[in-house]
Every structure is written in C-alpha cells, then in structure tokens.
Amino acid sequence: MTQSNIMPGFRPALAYTLFYLTLVVLIPLSTLVFKSLHLGWDEYVDIITNNRVVSSFRVSFGTSLIAALVAGVFGFVIAWVLVRYPFPGKRFLDALIDLPFALPTAVAGVILATIFQPSGMLGKWLMGTFGVQVAYKPLGIVVALIFIGIPFVVRTIEPVLQEFDTTMEEAASSLGATRLQVFTQVIFPNIFPALLTGVSLAFARGVGEYGSVIFIAGNLPYVSEIVPLLIITKLEQYQYAGATAIALTMLLVSFLLLLIVNLLQLWARRRSGQI
C-alpha cells in the first residue's frame, strides 16, 4: 500500500491554523486596510507627512532600534554567563530575566519613571554626576524598551548556547587559535542567527510598546511622543481616519523592517552552514 507523505493530522491542523490566523490576525488587519481605503491618496499623504506624525515615527523607530541593539549586547552577555558559568544565585537570576514578561507594562513604566526622574534615586545621581536626564526624554524611552527587550534576546540565545558543541572550540584551540579567534570565527557565526532573531523580536516589541513608555517618556510632541500614543490621541479626538492611516503606515514599515531582518537571518544561517 502506498503511504501518504503527509503526516497524520496535517490537514485538520493546517485548517485550524489558517482559521486561527484569519480570525485573530488577518481580519483585524484587513479591517485596518479597508478603513484606510476611504481616504484619498492626497489626504493619506497629508496625514503621514505631518511634522508631528513624522517626528513620532522617528522617536518610535529610532528608540526601538537603539534599545534593541543595546539589549542584544547585554542579552548576549547575560545568556553567555547563565549558560557557561555556575555561580550562587544562578536560578534566581535566571527567573528574574522573565520578570518583564510577567510584570504589567504600566507598572514597569511607573517604577522606571520613579527611579529615573530628576528627583529619583538614579535620576538624581545621573543629573548630579553626568548632567544627564533620563526620564521625560527620548533616553527614558530607550531605557524602558531595553528593560522590555532583554528577555527576548536572552531566551532566544540561551538554548542555542546550550546546544552548541564545545568540541568545536577545543578543536580550534588545539589548532592554535586564540580565545578571540575561537569566539569570532567559531562561536559567534553559529550564535549570530539567534542573536539577530532576539534583536528583531526586541525591536518589534519596542515599536508597539505603550504601557511602559508613556510614564517615562514625558509625551512631548516633536520630542518624546511615540506613535501608539499619537494613535490613541487621535482616536480620543474622533479622528478615526488619521488614526487608521498612521496605524497602517506603522504596520507597513514594521513589516518591511521585519522582512529585511528575516532575509538577514536566512543569509546568516546559510553562511554559517545551519541550512
């Protein structure tokens, strides 16, 4: 008897997946697109090229990119320490990494704003020592997004480091490679796709983050106003056309950036021989 190449249960599982994606993702996104079609092209361009809108896009995407890159560096270091070194309190630190996942984002925003405001514990020290104000500035947004984004990087890199074959390091060392050469030519190329994935997840989360940002950002137009806040502001003012136009533009730009990141991941995996 001929056997099917499709595993048992594939068709109902695929049907359920498509139904779920259609119900939860495609229908809401298509509604956003159809709502934006009521606008004329000139009206749409006028909305998204408004100076306040452009400034909010610059703040959201700029701070998210900076925060994702910083989270990538520190997240890689944290994952490396958790995997490679035993030390007292390791389990507690490992559990603490997931705190931003469990903590309500509004609570995180209030805590960060309290700590980093000019009269706060860290904010006062930074102002007095370095003359740097964190809260109510774009720098405060970066700090909040780093706090939110680091767990994505750590949890993406950690399993890859755990499964990494250490005999490759030993072989490179036996051939005379230095520690720096082992890291840059053996370890990092195999870890880079996972690192890129973690950074892209942190960036995607940062672009749409709202709760942890509004309390520490200051929300000043042209200075520290993010796109999600601008969308909510327009909805509260019953400017539904403007809100949907901004949301659609944010969706398209985010999708384009994530597509580029996915292509970079594919290139990195092929270059490292993982596929």
Short mmCIF file of all heavy atoms in Angstrom, two decimals, residues 111-128 135-136:
data_model
loop_
_atom_site.label_atom_id
_atom_site.label_comp_id
_atom_site.label_asym_id
_atom_site.label_seq_id
_atom_site.Cartn_x
_atom_site.Cartn_y
_atom_site.Cartn_z
N ILE A 111 7.48 52.37 37.75
CA ILE A 111 8.70 52.13 38.53
C ILE A 111 9.89 52.82 37.89
O ILE A 111 10.69 53.48 38.57
CB ILE A 111 8.94 50.62 38.66
CG1 ILE A 111 7.83 49.98 39.50
CG2 ILE A 111 10.30 50.34 39.29
CD1 ILE A 111 7.91 48.47 39.56
N LEU A 112 10.05 52.66 36.58
CA LEU A 112 11.19 53.28 35.89
C LEU A 112 11.11 54.80 35.96
O LEU A 112 12.14 55.47 36.15
CB LEU A 112 11.21 52.82 34.43
CG LEU A 112 11.55 51.34 34.20
CD1 LEU A 112 11.38 50.98 32.73
CD2 LEU A 112 12.97 51.04 34.66
N ALA A 113 9.91 55.36 35.80
CA ALA A 113 9.76 56.82 35.90
C ALA A 113 10.09 57.32 37.30
O ALA A 113 10.72 58.38 37.46
CB ALA A 113 8.35 57.23 35.51
N THR A 114 9.71 56.55 38.32
CA THR A 114 10.01 56.95 39.69
C THR A 114 11.50 56.91 39.97
O THR A 114 12.05 57.80 40.64
CB THR A 114 9.27 56.02 40.67
OG1 THR A 114 7.86 56.07 40.40
CG2 THR A 114 9.51 56.45 42.11
N ILE A 115 12.18 55.91 39.45
CA ILE A 115 13.61 55.76 39.71
C ILE A 115 14.43 56.77 38.93
O ILE A 115 15.38 57.36 39.46
CB ILE A 115 14.06 54.33 39.36
CG1 ILE A 115 13.41 53.32 40.30
CG2 ILE A 115 15.58 54.20 39.43
CD1 ILE A 115 13.71 51.88 39.95
N PHE A 116 14.06 57.02 37.67
CA PHE A 116 14.89 57.83 36.80
C PHE A 116 14.44 59.28 36.68
O PHE A 116 15.07 60.05 35.93
CB PHE A 116 14.95 57.21 35.40
CG PHE A 116 15.80 55.98 35.32
CD1 PHE A 116 15.23 54.72 35.29
CD2 PHE A 116 17.18 56.07 35.27
CE1 PHE A 116 16.00 53.58 35.21
CE2 PHE A 116 17.97 54.95 35.20
CZ PHE A 116 17.38 53.69 35.17
N GLN A 117 13.37 59.69 37.36
CA GLN A 117 13.01 61.10 37.32
C GLN A 117 14.10 61.93 38.01
O GLN A 117 14.88 61.40 38.80
CB GLN A 117 11.67 61.30 37.99
CG GLN A 117 11.63 60.99 39.47
CD GLN A 117 10.27 61.24 40.07
OE1 GLN A 117 9.48 61.99 39.53
NE2 GLN A 117 9.99 60.61 41.20
N PRO A 118 14.19 63.23 37.71
CA PRO A 118 15.28 64.06 38.25
C PRO A 118 15.42 64.00 39.77
O PRO A 118 16.52 64.16 40.29
CB PRO A 118 14.92 65.46 37.77
CG PRO A 118 14.14 65.24 36.52
CD PRO A 118 13.37 63.98 36.74
N SER A 119 14.34 63.75 40.48
CA SER A 119 14.42 63.65 41.93
C SER A 119 14.46 62.21 42.42
O SER A 119 14.45 61.96 43.63
CB SER A 119 13.21 64.35 42.57
OG SER A 119 11.99 63.77 42.12
N GLY A 120 14.50 61.24 41.48
CA GLY A 120 14.54 59.83 41.84
C GLY A 120 15.92 59.37 42.25
O GLY A 120 16.91 60.11 42.17
N MET A 121 16.01 58.12 42.66
CA MET A 121 17.26 57.58 43.19
C MET A 121 18.38 57.61 42.14
O MET A 121 19.44 58.17 42.38
CB MET A 121 17.02 56.14 43.68
CG MET A 121 18.25 55.47 44.26
SD MET A 121 17.86 53.83 44.92
CE MET A 121 17.26 53.01 43.43
N LEU A 122 18.12 57.01 40.98
CA LEU A 122 19.14 57.00 39.93
C LEU A 122 19.13 58.29 39.12
O LEU A 122 20.19 58.75 38.68
CB LEU A 122 18.92 55.80 39.00
CG LEU A 122 19.13 54.42 39.61
CD1 LEU A 122 18.86 53.33 38.59
CD2 LEU A 122 20.56 54.29 40.14
N GLY A 123 17.96 58.87 38.92
CA GLY A 123 17.88 60.09 38.14
C GLY A 123 18.64 61.24 38.78
O GLY A 123 19.32 62.01 38.10
N LYS A 124 18.54 61.37 40.08
CA LYS A 124 19.25 62.43 40.79
C LYS A 124 20.75 62.26 40.69
O LYS A 124 21.50 63.22 40.51
CB LYS A 124 18.80 62.46 42.25
CG LYS A 124 19.36 63.62 43.06
CD LYS A 124 18.78 63.61 44.46
CE LYS A 124 19.32 64.78 45.28
NZ LYS A 124 18.75 64.78 46.66
N TRP A 125 21.20 61.00 40.80
CA TRP A 125 22.64 60.73 40.70
C TRP A 125 23.16 61.00 39.29
O TRP A 125 24.24 61.57 39.13
CB TRP A 125 22.90 59.28 41.08
CG TRP A 125 24.35 58.88 40.94
CD1 TRP A 125 25.37 59.19 41.78
CD2 TRP A 125 24.91 58.11 39.87
NE1 TRP A 125 26.56 58.66 41.32
CE2 TRP A 125 26.30 57.98 40.14
CE3 TRP A 125 24.40 57.51 38.74
CZ2 TRP A 125 27.16 57.28 39.30
CZ3 TRP A 125 25.25 56.82 37.90
CH2 TRP A 125 26.61 56.71 38.18
N LEU A 126 22.41 60.60 38.27
CA LEU A 126 22.84 60.85 36.90
C LEU A 126 22.87 62.34 36.58
O LEU A 126 23.77 62.82 35.88
CB LEU A 126 21.90 60.12 35.93
CG LEU A 126 22.00 58.60 35.91
CD1 LEU A 126 20.90 58.00 35.06
CD2 LEU A 126 23.36 58.16 35.39
N MET A 127 21.88 63.08 37.09
CA MET A 127 21.87 64.52 36.86
C MET A 127 23.03 65.20 37.57
O MET A 127 23.69 66.08 37.01
CB MET A 127 20.54 65.10 37.35
CG MET A 127 19.37 64.86 36.41
SD MET A 127 19.49 65.84 34.89
CE MET A 127 19.31 67.49 35.56
N GLY A 128 23.29 64.80 38.81
CA GLY A 128 24.37 65.44 39.57
C GLY A 128 25.75 65.06 39.10
O GLY A 128 26.68 65.87 39.17
N ALA A 135 14.50 60.43 32.52
CA ALA A 135 13.04 60.47 32.46
C ALA A 135 12.56 61.70 31.70
O ALA A 135 13.20 62.75 31.72
CB ALA A 135 12.45 60.47 33.87
N TYR A 136 11.44 61.53 31.00
CA TYR A 136 10.77 62.59 30.23
C TYR A 136 11.62 63.06 29.05
O TYR A 136 11.49 64.18 28.58
CB TYR A 136 10.44 63.78 31.14
CG TYR A 136 9.86 63.36 32.46
CD1 TYR A 136 10.37 63.84 33.66
CD2 TYR A 136 8.83 62.44 32.52
CE1 TYR A 136 9.85 63.43 34.88
CE2 TYR A 136 8.30 62.02 33.73
CZ TYR A 136 8.82 62.51 34.90
OH TYR A 136 8.31 62.11 36.12
#
